[in-house]
Amino acid sequence: MSAVKVKITYCAECGYEPQTLDLAKALMFEFAQDLASIELIPWEGGTFDVSVDGELVHSMRREGGFPAAESVKAAVRARLPASPAS
Amino acid sequence: MTMTKERFAGGLTYDAYKEAMTRNRERVEDNEKKVVLDPGTVRFFKGLPEPINVVVLAEDWCGDVIANLPVLGTLAKAVGTLEVRIFYRDQNLDLINRWLNQGKYQSIPVFAFFDQSFRDLGHWIERPASVTELRARKRKEIFASDPAFGSPDAPVDQLPEDVRTRLQAELAKMREETTAFANNEVQRELRELVAAIPAR
């Protein structure tokens, strides 16, 4: 099974830790071991970027603001192998 | 809302704010040590006909507060004519919404100046534009100095970890090297702001 990698790059000097942790927590609870990793990267310059398997799915500079957890979850879900039909 | 004597008195002094900081106090105190007061600016503020009340909006996680509040705090202690009281932005939304950056951003720090009757004299937000411009130019130069850094507009999470660490060190060094300029610019802008207040 191919597990998905998420990276969250956040502006540490802007105090974006709560939003970073909230998003990481939401992903952990939603996907558990279906995620290979969640990498948190402290950065600067007003950054809040989220990439899923190397694709930038949210950028504060591009979209403005923080992402809705649901939109990041949808991006992860789209990269997970389809569940077998029950 | 209007600022009143009573509300102003409820703000924290600079030292009380530092005492109450839950993080970054050591960074604020490191920055205090880097502040070199301009003698002309000190003379100017010492010569004010009456003290000025300065309302500050801040939060202890904010990089611009950590960088610029020590300049005001150090200046105020040296001149004795700036009475500083600090308020937490997120607990005083009526205040921050009065001084929005470009009319829409709740940027901090805000330094808002009032006379002894609490008449609004003007305000200063976040950091000098000259500092933003200098650092943006230096940032571009850093990216241009090493092809491994890629584009300044590309997500940094795609850089290999060793390159990212090197880039972060370069950016931190640049911020350090531009600190003296930034501190001088804050002093210059505060002095110009107060000097532009018409005599009553």
Side-chain angles (χ1 to χ4, degrees):
Chain A
M1 187 180 103
S2 67
V4 173
K5 292 182 179 176
V6 177
K7 293 183 181 181
I8 306 172
T9 308
Y10 65 96
C11 177
E13 65 183 4
C14 309
Y16 292 165
E17 290 89 350
Q19 292 85 352
T20 306
L21 294 173
D22 285 349
L23 179 58
K25 187 176 165 188
L27 296 173
M28 289 163 79
F29 280 121
E30 180 77 15
F31 298 108
Q33 67 270 31
D34 287 344
L35 290 177
S37 63
I38 302 175
E39 187 178 356
L40 309 182
I41 303 170
W43 203 245
E44 44 94 58
T47 304
F48 198 92
D49 290 347
V50 183
S51 68
V52 179
D53 278 349
E55 184 185 340
L56 188 67
V57 300
H58 179 90
S59 162
M60 182 172 273
R61 194 167 298 156
R62 191 179 64 189
E63 276 87 21
F66 296 98
E70 283 310 316
S71 71
V72 179
K73 285 181 192 174
V76 171
R77 216 172 278 120
R79 286 161 181 81
L80 290 173
S83 305
S86 53
Chain B
M1 67 80 55
T2 54
M3 180 53 63
T4 61
K5 185 177 177 182
E6 292 72 27
R7 187 169 187 184
F8 184 76
L12 296 169
T13 63
Y14 179 60
D15 286 339
Y17 172 82
K18 285 198 298 177
E19 283 293 326
M21 289 184 83
T22 57
R23 55 177 164 170
N24 293 321
R25 181 174 174 174
E26 65 292 344
R27 287 177 66 193
V28 165
E29 292 180 339
D30 280 349
N31 286 339
E32 277 176 6
K33 291 175 194 153
K34 293 174 191 161
V35 175
V36 178
L37 293 176
D38 168 59
T41 301
V42 170
R43 260 196 314 277
F44 168 79
F45 279 103
K46 276 188 171 176
L48 290 176
E50 64 173 26
I52 289 178
N53 297 315
V54 189
V55 170
V56 174
L57 294 177
E59 291 288 344
D60 61 12
W61 46 258
C62 174
D64 286 303
V65 171
I66 293 162
N68 297 327
L69 181 55
V71 180
L72 176 68
T74 304
L75 179 64
K77 281 188 179 177
V79 299
T81 51
L82 296 172
E83 193 65 36
V84 175
R85 290 293 183 276
I86 301 170
F87 297 80
Y88 296 112
R89 179 193 69 175
D90 295 347
Q91 295 171 18
N92 293 276
L93 295 178
D94 62 320
L95 293 181
I96 190 66
N97 288 331
R98 177 175 171 171
W99 297 303
L100 294 175
N101 191 2
Q102 300 170 54
K104 52 185 171 180
Y105 302 115
Q106 296 182 332
S107 307
I108 46 176
V110 170
F111 303 157
F113 296 82
F114 293 86
D115 69 11
Q116 291 301 294
S117 304
F118 286 91
R119 281 182 293 234
D120 192 339
L121 302 175
H123 64 276
W124 183 95
I125 303 177
E126 194 176 34
R127 80 180 81 90
S130 56
V131 174
T132 304
E133 285 160 19
L134 175 69
R135 287 184 171 157
R137 183 162 52 77
K138 296 266 182 195
R139 192 169 186 273
K140 280 186 184 168
E141 287 170 8
I142 288 169
F143 276 85
S145 71
D146 187 340
F149 292 156
S151 161
D153 300 320
V156 295
D157 69 3
Q158 291 172 16
L159 296 175
E161 195 170 320
D162 60 324
V163 174
R164 201 164 66 212
T165 303
R166 202 149 41 82
L167 174 58
Q168 193 155 30
E170 287 289 325
L171 292 169
K173 183 167 160 248
M174 178 271 285
R175 278 197 298 275
E176 182 71 24
E177 288 172 352
T178 53
T179 294
F181 171 78
N183 289 347
N184 290 338
E185 285 294 277
V186 173
Q187 292 179 67
R188 181 184 62 75
E189 289 200 347
L190 295 182
R191 175 181 172 171
E192 286 181 3
L193 189 155
V194 173
I197 298 167
R200 293 180 192 275

